[in-house]
Amino acid sequence: MEETGISKPKVVVIGAGSLFFGRQSIWQMVQSQYLNQGTLALVDTDEERLSKMVTLAKMVAKENGVPLQVEGSTNRREVLQGADFVVLSFAKDSVKYRGIDCEVSLQYGIRMCSGDTIGPGGIFRAMRELPVIMECAKDIEEICPDAWVINYINPSTVHGIALSRYAPKLKSFALCDSHHMPHKKAHYAIRAGIIQHPSEFTEEIDRRFDLRIAGVNHFTWLLKAEYDGKDVMALIAEALRRSAGTENDGGDKGAKALHNDAITYELYDIFGSIPTCTAHTKEYVRYWQGLGKTEDAIPPLSIWETEDRYKRHEEMWRQVDDFISGPIPVADYMKIMGPDHATDIIESMVGNLGKRFFINTLNNGAVTNMNDDAFLELLSEVSLSDGIKPLPVGDMPRGIRGMQELVLDTHELTAEAVVERSFTKLRRAFMTDPLVNSIHDADLIIKELLEREKDIIPSYWYE
């Protein structure tokens, strides 16, 4: 094993009951030779779920014969001491409140298929999550100020901006799972006809395939795609156009999955660049809000499916229970589960592996015609010694850049409103948001969401 600056890394996961991260973090912490000598500390306010995840982590570590230490606590302060990395991945009753956000917004003509990053849903999710994130930041500053803080909670940009601006002494960045490398590059290599299957993606193909992706999280665009110097953007777009006709036949019928290839191609046809996170991007633009006077070939966005999400989560917890109680052998855990973005990055940093990852961070010149402090998702070099260094992208095309700036303004105003507890800025964020069409409607949405989410929104908003 290559010598690193951290021989026994301690990774604290705040929100271990997060089914979309907690289980994968166990996999990587056990699998990686750079991490499995260290400690995985799991934190969750739900004692029952925390107990299950701690039990599962210990079982998997024992089954695979690694000395990984597993800790658990409902009080984060008890396990932060000595942390090298702190991953924030919590979201209290997220399915419930996203459902409320989407239901109320729809009454005023705003359609959200995800409701967690833009529109009233994104703003109110930040109202719920960001105060807790900033409390975590204070504890980290006090107990383990040298730890890397990784935000894995949407709206990722809002929370990343808040940490960089209001906790500047901390080493922080934000993540999303949609641009996990090298899988994202392999995906486009298949679309371009360079390879037929992800297993064919090699370091040699990686080197010859010049891919440039940039933008605000969930609103990212493929700006350049060249293989051996030949532009393959049109080949990728054509593959999307061909698949658009059958993409929803028998596949995922969830709101975030519907018509994505068709929408991707239509946006490419207009702007000349390919949106790379269409499941969310289609919510950032106003074209599929159903407000047109004539019928579009692509129907308006379907709404976030609360009940289906509850069922999906129940299935995931059932799988956890099956690992613990025996219906699924714990020996199969490493075959069934897989790596996670955050722990992939942690492994690369600890092992000094030199891998590149898409990180939400300050632009610092990567996109040449956007401000250095623009908080963007960018392919970056990541290391313990040099931190996060975004790689050059070039210009953001006109039209796309204007939409990016509007979204960034909405996100920045949201971060300021929540941290500064400013109703004026909350209202301003709403009126800046690209999905809001009426001042009066927006005011009514704010009023109704504050009332219906009173049990989770901090009390000072009601004083």
Side-chain angles (χ1 to χ4, degrees):
M1 187 191 310
E2 184 177 344
E3 193 68 28
T4 73
I6 306 174
S7 59
K8 294 183 177 181
K10 182 174 184 178
V11 177
V12 178
V13 178
I14 301 179
S18 167
L19 287 169
F20 295 100
F21 175 70
R23 297 173 306 161
Q24 288 90 336
S25 67
I26 294 171
W27 188 95
Q28 188 77 303
M29 291 295 294
V30 169
Q31 183 271 342
S32 172
Q33 62 174 327
Y34 300 100
L35 305 181
N36 61 25
Q37 309 294 309
T39 300
L40 175 62
L42 303 174
V43 179
D44 203 285
T45 54
D46 187 314
E47 290 189 31
E48 182 182 358
R49 290 184 173 182
L50 174 65
S51 176
K52 289 181 179 181
M53 297 305 285
V54 169
T55 298
L56 180 61
K58 289 180 177 179
M59 289 174 65
V60 175
K62 182 179 179 180
E63 175 66 29
N64 288 274
V66 299
L68 179 70
Q69 297 295 308
V70 179
E71 300 177 359
S73 178
T74 56
N75 181 352
R76 60 181 177 264
R77 292 180 62 89
E78 291 182 353
V79 296
L80 281 174
Q81 189 69 45
D84 298 296
F85 300 90
V86 182
V87 182
L88 309 176
S89 66
F90 52 81
K92 184 174 175 58
D93 294 329
S94 179
V95 173
K96 170 186 172 181
Y97 291 108
R98 286 166 76 178
I100 293 172
D101 292 340
C102 292
E103 174 194 335
V104 171
S105 298
L106 185 60
Q107 294 172 10
Y108 298 92
I110 296 177
R111 307 183 69 87
M112 295 184 296
C113 61
S114 182
D116 66 349
T117 47
I118 201 69
I123 294 172
F124 262 77
R125 182 162 185 183
M127 292 274 283
R128 298 189 296 268
E129 317 291 4
L130 184 51
V132 186
I133 289 173
M134 298 313 296
E135 289 172 7
C136 290
K138 288 181 180 178
D139 287 345
I140 295 165
E141 286 177 332
E142 176 189 340
I143 299 170
C144 53
D146 293 328
W148 282 90
V149 182
I150 304 174
N151 173 71
Y152 218 154
I153 307 168
N154 282 320
S156 193
T157 302
V158 174
H159 299 154
I161 289 169
L163 284 167
S164 67
R165 184 176 297 180
Y166 297 101
K169 293 180 180 179
L170 293 179
K171 299 176 293 188
S172 69
F173 59 90
L175 284 186
C176 182
D177 59 5
S178 61
H179 287 71
H180 197 172
M181 289 289 275
H183 317 297
K184 195 69 176 179
K185 205 168 188 180
H187 167 78
Y188 285 114
I190 292 171
R191 294 287 197 182
I194 298 167
I195 59 175
Q196 301 302 312
H197 188 270
S199 62
E200 300 171 19
F201 190 76
T202 62
E203 290 185 7
E204 172 69 11
I205 291 173
D206 186 16
R207 184 183 60 79
R208 295 162 63 185
F209 193 18
D210 186 1
L211 209 66
R212 307 285 175 91
I213 295 173
V216 184
N217 178 240
H218 287 167
F219 200 37
T220 45
W221 297 73
L222 178 58
L223 305 177
K224 179 182 180 181
E226 292 184 355
Y227 189 68
D228 287 341
K230 177 186 176 183
D231 188 347
V232 295
M233 183 85 77
L235 294 176
I236 296 171
E238 175 60 19
L240 289 161
R241 187 193 67 77
R242 289 196 306 268
S243 63
T246 59
E247 62 175 317
N248 300 125
D249 295 348
D252 186 352
K253 298 296 180 69
K256 289 171 65 176
L258 291 173
H259 308 293
N260 287 347
D261 287 351
I263 289 171
T264 301
Y265 183 80
E266 188 154 355
L267 290 174
Y268 162 77
D269 192 47
I270 296 166
F271 294 105
S273 299
I274 294 174
T276 63
C277 191
T278 306
H280 285 277
T281 293
K282 64 186 179 184
E283 188 178 74
Y284 276 61
V285 294
R286 57 198 179 277
Y287 314 123
W288 292 281
Q289 285 292 312
L291 302 177
K293 299 298 182 183
T294 57
E295 187 176 352
D296 196 301
I298 302 171
L301 298 182
S302 295
I303 306 302
W304 162 263
E305 59 283 8
T306 302
E307 291 306 317
D308 286 348
R309 288 284 172 156
Y310 277 129
K311 292 177 184 176
R312 196 179 304 183
H313 284 207
E314 287 171 6
E315 291 171 1
M316 291 178 179
W317 278 115
R318 196 174 303 120
Q319 184 190 50
V320 170
D321 290 339
D322 287 348
F323 276 122
I324 293 172
S325 59
I328 304 177
V330 73
D332 290 347
Y333 188 88
M334 301 303 285
K335 301 174 188 175
I336 294 173
M337 304 306 297
D340 168 82
H341 201 172
T343 42
D344 259 3
I345 294 171
I346 292 171
E347 179 192 43
S348 185
M349 294 177 80
V350 172
N352 194 28
L353 304 182
K355 294 181 180 180
R356 295 173 171 182
F357 297 92
F358 280 98
I359 304 286
N360 289 280
T361 187
L362 298 173
N363 178 37
N364 285 331
V367 177
T368 46
N369 60 347
M370 294 183 72
N371 291 343
D372 283 349
D373 66 350
F375 207 85
L376 303 176
E377 188 164 9
L378 301 161
L379 188 62
S380 305
E381 294 177 341
V382 185
S383 69
L384 289 174
S385 56
D386 297 327
I388 312 300
K389 296 179 66 175
L391 299 172
V393 174
D395 278 359
M396 184 71 67
R398 190 172 294 279
I400 295 176
R401 186 185 68 176
M403 293 188 290
Q404 296 277 324
E405 296 288 2
L406 183 63
V407 167
L408 274 173
D409 278 359
T410 303
H411 287 336
E412 290 188 19
L413 283 167
T414 300
E416 292 173 9
V418 175
V419 176
E420 298 172 17
R421 305 181 183 183
S422 168
F423 186 84
T424 298
K425 287 191 175 180
L426 172 64
R427 191 167 182 253
R428 192 175 298 164
F430 258 80
M431 305 314 165
T432 305
D433 189 283
L435 301 188
V436 170
N437 293 286
S438 161
I439 294 173
H440 189 242
D441 285 354
D443 283 336
L444 291 174
I445 293 171
I446 294 172
K447 181 180 179 181
E448 186 166 348
L449 288 180
L450 281 173
E451 180 58 34
R452 291 191 60 178
E453 299 181 10
K454 197 170 186 177
D455 55 341
I456 193 169
I457 299 292
S459 60
Y460 48 75
W461 286 100
Y462 304 89
E463 295 171 353

